[in-house]
Amino acid sequence: MNWNYCTLCPRNCHANRSGSLVPSKGICGETKTIRLARAALHFWEEPCISGEQGSGTVFFSGCTLRCVFCQNHSIANGTVGREVSIEQFSKILLNLQQKGANNINLVTPTHFVPQIAEGIMLARNEGLHLPIVYNTSGYETVETLKLLDGIVDIYLPDLKYKSSLLSKKYSFADDYFSIACKALDEMYRQVGEPTFDEHGIMKKGMIVRHLLLPGYIKDSKAVISYLYHRFGDHIYISIMNQYTPMPAISLRYPELNRTVSDEEYEEVVDYAIDLGVENGFIQEGETADESFIPSFNYEGLDL
């Protein structure tokens, strides 16, 4: 990886993230040094990821996509984060394993992939044996994903939009769908069919998440249709209704200043069922609340 000319993500910003005096920050908002906001057991992922023991979730600072409705905006925009070395990162993973985590869950990791791969190999040399979950927006290059072949066991990407108009408006990436489709193909090539242990915890495979946005169920149906016709039931589709409007969203995007209605969600879920989707996850009850937004208080970083 040439850190003087970063092309890790589809933005291809060519930032000098390892500058000897003052490193430049990429569009992700980060230099070469890993920054983390939290490393702790997390119980609100899909049941086959969290289980009863929790997922060992590591939240990275910075983001390559920067969606306007992001629930984790404080880390996505880089206002929260603590620098850690690759050696410290590997110890953090081992600590999560010691706490009983079902897996290591890397959240928004794209812009640190080479360091992550090195840290995981260090940890494996010290006894790390948990499945590695790559939890991503889906906006990935195939070249970067290939660096993770044989390292990642479970891919947990989003497929946020099919419409380029929506992806441009809300994520500033009119190429999102075309890029994400190629990325999902590469992810599936690496991990293949889902496998589970005797407790129903996923050991290998892919779960694609789709978060409904209020008022855009037509695009949600298009996303689910694409996923099912492309992968069938060889992957899992997670249909999410936990969209939570952030305080400032009403100023520029008033159409997003509400939660997804029960009727909207039921219509999309019914569509998936009628389509033939069998391997899927849905959310029930009052999910559009802060239970899905953890405290980014550096928990798990002091070892």
Side-chain angles (χ1 to χ4, degrees):
M1 172 63 199
N2 183 357
W3 290 105
N4 298 325
Y5 199 69
C6 187
T7 57
L8 273 177
C9 86
R11 302 291 191 186
N12 286 318
C13 69
H14 299 155
N16 180 4
R17 293 176 60 194
S18 64
S20 57
L21 296 177
V22 182
S24 299
K25 293 182 178 181
I27 286 180
C28 60
E30 300 297 317
T31 65
K32 180 181 177 181
T33 305
I34 294 174
R35 287 204 309 146
L36 303 179
R38 178 183 171 92
L41 297 178
H42 192 63
F43 297 91
W44 303 308
E45 307 285 34
E46 286 74 7
C48 64
I49 300 295
S50 288
E52 294 184 359
Q53 294 172 263
S55 179
T57 309
V58 182
F59 288 89
F60 294 85
S61 298
C63 182
T64 62
L65 202 54
R66 306 286 188 89
C67 304
V68 300
F69 50 81
C70 180
Q71 294 182 2
N72 297 342
H73 58 90
S74 64
I75 59 171
N77 63 22
T79 56
V80 176
R82 179 183 295 176
E83 291 187 353
V84 300
S85 67
I86 293 174
E87 292 75 16
Q88 289 171 317
F89 172 69
S90 69
K91 291 178 181 177
I92 287 167
L93 304 187
L94 291 166
N95 186 53
L96 288 169
Q97 177 172 274
Q98 188 175 14
K99 289 181 176 180
N102 287 315
N103 43 59
I104 299 297
N105 186 348
L106 309 171
V107 182
T108 319
T110 310
H111 43 295
F112 294 121
V113 161
Q115 303 95 313
I116 288 170
E118 184 178 345
I120 289 171
M121 297 311 296
L122 282 175
R124 283 179 174 170
N125 289 339
E126 296 296 324
L128 181 70
H129 56 78
L130 297 178
I132 304 298
V133 180
Y134 191 82
N135 189 335
T136 168
S137 69
Y139 197 56
E140 304 275 353
T141 69
V142 171
E143 292 75 18
T144 295
L145 291 172
K146 285 182 176 179
L147 299 176
L148 298 166
D149 196 355
I151 295 175
V152 168
D153 303 285
I154 300 165
Y155 277 105
L156 188 59
D158 297 335
L159 189 57
K160 295 179 181 291
Y161 322 90
K162 190 171 189 298
S163 166
S164 60
L165 295 177
L166 293 183
S167 64
K168 182 177 182 180
K169 183 175 184 180
Y170 298 134
S171 295
F172 314 103
D174 56 0
D175 60 353
Y176 174 85
F177 181 72
S178 61
I179 293 289
C181 286
K182 294 174 185 176
L184 265 57
D185 284 349
E186 173 61 19
M187 294 175 192
Y188 181 73
R189 183 195 70 80
Q190 290 184 23
V191 299
E193 300 280 330
T195 61
F196 303 84
D197 69 12
E198 64 274 18
H199 304 294
I201 300 299
M202 182 175 272
K203 308 302 287 185
K204 203 171 186 67
M206 184 161 80
I207 302 172
V208 182
R209 290 171 161 175
H210 176 68
L211 175 68
L212 271 69
L213 295 178
Y216 291 116
I217 60 173
K218 181 179 179 181
D219 196 63
S220 291
K221 291 178 181 180
V223 166
I224 293 167
S225 177
Y226 171 79
L227 288 172
Y228 185 67
H229 287 105
R230 181 63 176 170
F231 299 104
D233 282 311
H234 301 289
I235 66 167
Y236 279 74
I237 302 173
S238 184
I239 305 173
M240 306 171 74
N241 71 341
Q242 69 186 57
Y243 172 78
T244 304
M246 293 292 101
I249 198 73
S250 62
L251 298 178
R252 292 187 61 190
Y253 306 97
E255 71 276 16
L256 297 182
N257 193 33
R258 67 173 177 88
T259 58
V260 173
S261 70
D262 291 343
E263 292 76 16
E264 287 173 317
Y265 188 63
E266 289 169 6
E267 182 174 339
V268 173
V269 170
D270 288 345
Y271 175 80
I273 293 170
D274 292 343
L275 199 61
V277 175
E278 294 184 1
N279 289 346
F281 296 100
I282 61 173
Q283 294 181 317
E284 298 177 341
E286 298 296 326
T287 55
D289 56 43
E290 292 192 2
S291 65
F292 290 89
I293 306 174
S295 298
F296 299 119
N297 56 4
Y298 307 124
E299 180 180 351
L301 305 189
D302 295 318
L303 300 180

